[in-house]
Amino acid sequence: MRRAIQLAANAERENEVPVGALVVSEAGEIIGEGWNSPISLHDPSAHAEMVALRNAAQYIQNYRLVNCTLFVTLEPCTMCCGALIHARIKRVVYGAKEPKAGAVHSQLQLLELSHTNHIVDVTAGVCESECSSMLSVFFKRRREEKRALRSQQL
């Protein structure tokens, strides 16, 4: 999870929501990494998880990431949960909960649906306070910047 937090810092430096993710093979090798970049890539699907999954699939030359674990600093959304299922990720480990759009535990439990063709194991709350704090600080700064901009316009 420490590496995922470092990747989230890359997103923050690019003024993206600070979320980082990596895919680790069953041998313990990092085979894919990513951070949030939908704004800079002009791609609504460029969430940290999606970027890491794409990189891992390219690395092993297979869209099936069987027996791999995805580490991510924020609870995955609906889109990312679908990709985890389709990629056949064995396990997802996440840090902070996403109370508004989290699709693992917070709003939906998409990785627990019995009718899907693959079940993903989940470990939640790893380095939760650090991951959550990073996001809170980012959004607080963003709100302050918007306030300052509004007051300059007056």
Side-chain angles (χ1 to χ4, degrees):
M1 188 59 79
R2 292 279 166 228
R3 179 64 184 148
I5 292 168
Q6 291 171 348
L7 294 166
N10 292 346
E12 187 166 18
R13 277 191 290 281
E14 295 176 3
N15 209 27
E16 300 270 4
V17 176
V19 179
L22 59 124
V23 177
V24 178
S25 72
E26 66 183 325
E29 177 187 7
I30 295 174
I31 60 171
E33 295 182 330
W35 56 87
N36 264 12
S37 48
I39 297 167
S40 57
L41 294 178
H42 311 288
D43 179 355
S45 71
H47 289 193
E49 301 94 313
M50 301 294 282
V51 175
L53 291 172
R54 284 185 195 119
N55 289 336
Q58 288 298 308
Y59 183 80
I60 66 167
Q61 292 293 288
N62 193 334
Y63 74 106
R64 299 277 196 225
L65 301 172
V66 178
N67 295 322
C68 292
T69 299
L70 176 101
F71 291 85
V72 62
T73 57
L74 182 65
E75 179 182 0
C77 71
T78 303
M79 172 183 67
C80 294
C81 283
L84 293 168
I85 292 167
H86 287 289
R88 305 296 194 269
I89 285 286
K90 181 177 184 175
R91 180 175 171 229
V92 64
V93 178
Y94 73 85
K97 293 181 180 102
E98 212 309 19
K100 293 181 182 176
V104 177
H105 292 123
S106 294
Q107 290 299 323
L108 302 169
Q109 293 76 44
L110 291 182
L111 300 181
E112 298 174 19
L113 298 175
S114 60
H115 69 274
T116 61
N117 56 354
H118 179 72
I119 302 296
V120 179
D121 295 327
V122 177
T123 302
V126 176
C127 299
E128 182 174 11
S129 62
E130 191 172 350
C131 295
S132 183
S133 175
M134 188 176 221
L135 289 157
S136 295
V137 167
F138 173 82
F139 285 113
K140 181 181 181 192
R141 181 175 48 89
R142 222 189 218 176
R143 285 189 301 274
E144 289 168 356
E145 289 169 355
K146 283 183 181 180
R147 240 181 267 123
L149 184 61
R150 269 189 253 124
S151 66
Q152 287 176 353
Q153 292 172 346
L154 295 178

